[in-house]
Amino acid sequence: MSNLLNPDAIFSNNEMSLSDIEIYGFDYDYTLVFYSKHLHTLIFNAARDLLINEHRYPVEIRKYEYDPNFAIRGLHYDVQRAVLMKIDAFHYIQLGTVYRGLSVVPDEEVIEMYEGSHVPLEQMSDFYGKSSHGNTMKQFMDIFSLPEMTLLSCVNEYFLKNNIDYEPVHLYKDVKDSIRDVHTKGIMYRAIEADIEKYICYPEQTRAVLAKLADHGKKMFLITNSPSSFVDKGMRYIVGKDWRDLFDVVIVQAEKPNFFNDKRRPFRKVNEKGVLLWDKIYKLQKGQIYKQDLTLKHGWRTGAIIPELRSELRIMNTEQYIQTMTWLQTLTGLLEQMQVHRDAESQLVLQEWKKERKEMREMTKGSFNTQFGSLFRTDQNPTYFLRRLSRFADIYMASLSCLLSYDVSHTFYPRRTPLQHELPAWSDRPPATRLPLLQEAQAK
């Protein structure tokens, strides 16, 4: 317990010094501004109503309400089979986390469905989360995808419970379009602007972070897919009416991710009322708001904001979790060490240990999320979500306010995580001498 993990720390995948960073770019949603639990309920309800009113889905699906505890980010959805699941960094499905509708699919059925528990590369979306023709798996990485996954599962559940024959691909597209329309038709924006105190969490120290960077001469820009008036109202609420003075450039309606590589759309200036002007843009000026394209050169460093990180670390810091993980590691070592004994009595003990390990793994999973467990781990492997996070983010943190704990010249050093062949084998030492390694492994 003396080596607890700090929920307000910044964690590093790659060595990076803030002294080298001259320009900071920020997204708006879940970076500069955090939303309350009410937002996902709003998105779910609005998309559900669009399914009913515009896509002619049964009015009975209105009985389903948003459950914030059902899904986690990073899950994969098999579009053809209409199942939601958690997949690790090596494309293996975590058994016990496969859901059809709101019900778990038995392990035996999953293994029969996929001829094992491995999902071939050609069936998955690419590493950027895009699903091209022939790819049947869609990964949900965005926080806004939580209501989408829940709505998909609820409508699937309704069709299954009522023995209604349906095409899963059509359902996936209709739900996807409805979630999109909640944003593009302005439903979400209007609701938030009408009751900003209900939907935006104020305590995040966004202004303090921006002021600190500005005081040290850092240049800053904001880039968001949201419209100008929506961003202006939110930033006035959390930062102040002078928020634009803190930024050198503000880019709205960027249409990310195409924004970063589409050279066909020139910038357009946006006036105070959100109206697009016809002026030709020769350079980006401080205090102005622009819309559309920018091509980024190589060399940018990336920091990811993962709000779920704080709650997961708090769970990992509990005495129960630490004791459980210590015993799980010890139990795994005992299984590896004792499997050479083939007599009946030893084999019986081994089976009991395997049963106990399975029960403890299920209990550990339930500590984070009853259905899917931790955002970052399966039973023993990193998740596909963490694999992508490690690939694209130099540093990651629970919120922007974590930057306040570090000097602007701080260097982040990733921990040297031992490779499998660098760790001492369980058979090399008795269990009692290995326990100190466990605390170190947990910290990693």
Side-chain angles (χ1 to χ4, degrees):
M1 294 294 290
S2 62
N3 191 26
L4 298 182
L5 297 160
N6 181 6
D8 295 316
I10 295 178
F11 301 91
S12 176
N13 291 320
N14 194 16
E15 186 170 324
M16 187 188 83
S17 177
L18 292 181
S19 61
D20 297 330
I21 308 299
E22 299 176 357
I23 303 171
Y24 285 75
F26 300 93
D27 194 2
Y28 178 69
D29 296 313
Y30 290 105
T31 299
L32 294 174
V33 60
F34 275 61
Y35 296 103
S36 71
K37 60 183 180 181
H38 301 292
L39 180 61
H40 287 171
T41 301
L42 165 68
I43 296 171
F44 178 92
N45 290 344
R48 181 195 60 197
D49 291 345
L50 286 171
L51 279 179
I52 295 169
N53 298 329
E54 297 191 7
H55 295 274
R56 307 298 183 184
Y57 276 65
V59 70
E60 288 81 9
I61 66 171
R62 194 169 274 127
K63 70 180 181 181
Y64 291 99
E65 297 181 351
Y66 179 65
D67 179 3
N69 300 313
F70 175 68
I72 62 172
R73 271 200 294 165
L75 300 178
H76 282 77
Y77 183 75
D78 190 324
V79 176
Q80 304 287 343
R81 297 182 174 96
V83 290
L84 190 66
M85 70 191 75
K86 185 176 174 185
I87 295 179
D88 72 14
F90 308 102
H91 297 193
Y92 281 93
I93 301 166
Q94 182 179 358
L95 296 177
T97 70
V98 181
Y99 276 74
R100 182 182 289 117
L102 301 176
S103 302
V104 66
V105 180
D107 294 349
E108 298 77 14
E109 186 176 342
V110 174
I111 291 170
E112 181 180 358
M113 193 186 308
Y114 292 97
E115 298 181 347
S117 60
H118 184 265
V119 180
L121 177 63
E122 62 269 16
Q123 290 185 21
M124 300 184 70
S125 57
D126 67 20
F127 207 59
Y128 296 88
K130 295 180 180 179
S131 184
S132 59
H133 180 72
N135 299 140
T136 60
M137 289 283 189
K138 162 67 180 175
Q139 188 180 22
F140 292 100
M141 290 289 289
D142 195 273
I143 294 183
F144 285 121
S145 65
L146 289 169
E148 182 175 357
M149 286 185 278
T150 307
L151 184 58
L152 266 171
S153 299
C154 287
V155 181
N156 273 319
E157 179 77 3
Y158 174 80
F159 287 153
L160 292 167
K161 292 293 184 185
N162 291 276
N163 296 315
I164 297 174
D165 189 27
Y166 69 104
E167 172 52 63
V169 176
H170 296 333
L171 170 60
Y172 169 73
K173 183 181 184 303
D174 292 343
V175 170
K176 178 182 177 182
D177 289 348
S178 297
I179 292 287
R180 179 204 62 202
D181 288 347
V182 172
H183 296 265
T184 58
K185 292 186 176 182
I187 299 171
M188 183 187 81
Y189 301 133
R190 289 191 295 271
I192 293 174
E193 289 187 50
D195 198 350
I196 203 163
E197 293 183 2
K198 176 181 179 180
Y199 292 106
I200 292 183
C201 298
Y202 185 73
E204 289 299 327
Q205 297 171 290
T206 299
R207 184 179 180 89
V209 174
L210 297 176
K212 177 181 177 180
L213 295 174
D215 289 344
H216 285 84
K218 304 298 183 181
K219 292 185 180 295
M220 291 180 284
F221 67 89
L222 187 160
I223 175 172
T224 176
N225 288 346
S226 299
S228 174
S229 60
F230 174 74
V231 173
D232 182 63
K233 190 160 187 176
M235 290 297 285
R236 283 173 178 266
Y237 178 67
I238 62 173
V239 176
K241 62 182 180 181
D242 62 340
W243 70 270
R244 282 168 58 182
D245 296 340
L246 294 169
F247 290 92
D248 294 273
V249 175
V250 176
I251 303 165
V252 297
Q253 294 176 274
E255 298 181 24
K256 296 179 291 179
N258 293 335
F259 171 88
F260 294 107
N261 51 35
D262 188 348
K263 300 179 181 180
R264 296 171 298 174
R265 299 173 301 147
F267 282 111
R268 295 191 69 173
K269 189 182 292 185
V270 182
N271 70 10
E272 297 288 343
K273 297 181 179 180
V275 176
L276 292 172
L277 304 180
W278 49 265
D279 310 50
K280 187 175 180 65
I281 305 300
Y282 292 95
K283 64 179 181 179
L284 302 179
Q285 298 176 325
K286 184 178 177 63
Q288 299 297 322
I289 296 179
Y290 300 91
K291 176 186 175 182
Q292 295 194 348
D293 181 59
L294 171 70
T295 301
L296 294 182
K297 295 182 179 179
H298 296 291
W300 287 87
R301 312 304 293 269
T302 305
I305 306 295
I306 313 291
E308 300 95 331
L309 182 62
R310 185 173 279 124
S311 60
E312 291 220 4
L313 288 176
R314 285 172 178 160
I315 292 168
M316 293 170 65
N317 281 338
T318 61
E319 185 174 359
Q320 180 183 6
Y321 182 85
I322 293 172
Q323 289 179 349
T324 300
M325 290 307 299
T326 302
W327 178 236
L328 262 176
Q329 291 288 81
T330 304
L331 199 55
T332 301
L334 290 170
L335 283 168
E336 182 178 355
Q337 200 172 47
M338 295 293 290
Q339 64 183 330
V340 296
H341 300 284
R342 298 297 179 181
D343 60 279
E345 186 176 1
S346 296
Q347 288 298 310
L348 184 62
V349 171
L350 283 168
Q351 292 306 313
E352 289 297 319
W353 283 347
K354 287 179 180 179
K355 180 182 177 183
E356 181 179 358
R357 189 174 73 142
K358 184 177 180 181
E359 291 171 351
M360 292 183 73
R361 281 179 163 180
E362 190 64 26
M363 182 176 67
T364 303
K365 185 186 82 172
S367 299
F368 299 100
N369 175 279
T370 304
Q371 291 74 231
F372 301 102
S374 167
L375 181 66
F376 304 99
R377 274 200 177 277
T378 58
D379 287 330
Q380 69 276 345
N381 293 331
T383 58
Y384 201 83
F385 175 91
L386 183 61
R387 178 186 173 191
R388 289 178 63 183
L389 176 68
S390 301
R391 167 65 178 82
F392 293 113
D394 294 288
I395 58 174
Y396 61 100
M397 65 205 85
S399 75
L400 202 60
S401 62
C402 297
L403 281 168
L404 293 173
S405 302
Y406 298 85
D407 187 82
V408 292
S409 61
H410 185 88
T411 298
F412 295 99
Y413 296 96
R415 295 183 180 95
R416 181 182 170 91
T417 305
L419 303 174
Q420 290 300 309
H421 64 272
E422 294 176 325
L423 283 168
W426 279 100
S427 56
D428 291 345
R429 311 180 179 189
T433 63
R434 301 175 200 129
L435 293 180
L437 291 170
L438 298 173
Q439 290 182 340
E440 182 185 350
Q442 275 186 324
K444 295 180 170 70

